[in-house]
Amino acid sequence: MKLAVIVGSTRQNRQTLKQAKWVLAEASKMDGVDAKLVDLKDFTLPFFGEPISPRYNPDRKIDEEVKPWLAALADADAFIFVTPEYNHSIPGVLKNAIDYLTSEMNHKPATIVSHGSVGGARAAVQLKEILSESRAVVIPQQVAFLGLSEGVDDEGNLSADLAANPYGPGAALKTALTELKWYSDALAKARNA
């Protein structure tokens, strides 16, 4: 499974990057998983303003600035969107980036790892709706992380206390990754059939 771990915030001093590093490290430990970090900060995406939705535009002309973003996701088999919660929702930069996507996510599984107030749960609920409209297959398992700033260091290492907790974020992430791999394998067979 080629996995794209998407960093959904570009803010200065963002906690999302260390959470994404944690996710990437855990995913990279799994057999059959080739995980890469895709950081929105590495892309210059103008506000989406195409005249027709990409899904319905067979003659789409893609801006040069947007092509690297689409290419970064095109070969992925699965996605993990790592997002904070801003004002009970996802960051605008993440929504804007998703608006450019079409076939890159079609019939591929996605899940969410969130953080913030109430673990970013309100952002995750909204992001599930957005991703399903993008034709991704949003799996039921997700991770809502409360207390991220104390629970993960800058290198993406989970604290010893949280790592030892059988009901904590480490266990939730392992379950989400296992499910994502199962869905990815099943959907890859269906797409190739």
Side-chain angles (χ1 to χ4, degrees), residues 116-133:
S117 299
V118 298
R122 295 168 294 211
V125 166
Q126 291 185 19
L127 185 51
K128 280 184 168 189
E129 291 294 319
I130 294 165
L131 293 175
S132 67
E133 182 59 24

Side-chain angles (χ1 to χ4, degrees), residues 39-59:
D39 191 344
L40 287 180
K41 206 168 194 174
D42 295 335
F43 302 92
T44 305
L45 296 174
F47 279 117
F48 180 79
E50 294 180 19
I52 300 172
S53 169
R55 185 188 307 170
Y56 304 111
N57 189 356
D59 300 318

Side-chain angles (χ1 to χ4, degrees), residues 142-166:
Q142 66 185 46
V143 181
F145 200 126
L146 189 61
L148 174 70
S149 52
E150 300 83 30
V152 177
D153 68 20
D154 289 340
E155 301 307 312
N157 299 305
L158 192 63
S159 72
D161 290 346
L162 289 177
N165 183 344

Side-chain angles (χ1 to χ4, degrees), residues 2 19 24-25 27 34 58 60 65 68 80 82 136 161 164 170 185 193:
K2 291 182 181 177
Q19 186 178 33
L24 181 71
D34 177 16
R60 183 181 186 198
E65 292 174 307
I80 296 179
V82 183
D161 290 346
D185 292 347

Side-chain angles (χ1 to χ4, degrees), residues 94-109:
L94 178 56
K95 174 62 167 75
N96 186 58
I98 293 170
D99 285 345
Y100 282 105
L101 301 175
T102 179
S103 61
E104 295 81 12
M105 297 185 66
N106 202 14
H107 300 134
K108 297 177 183 179

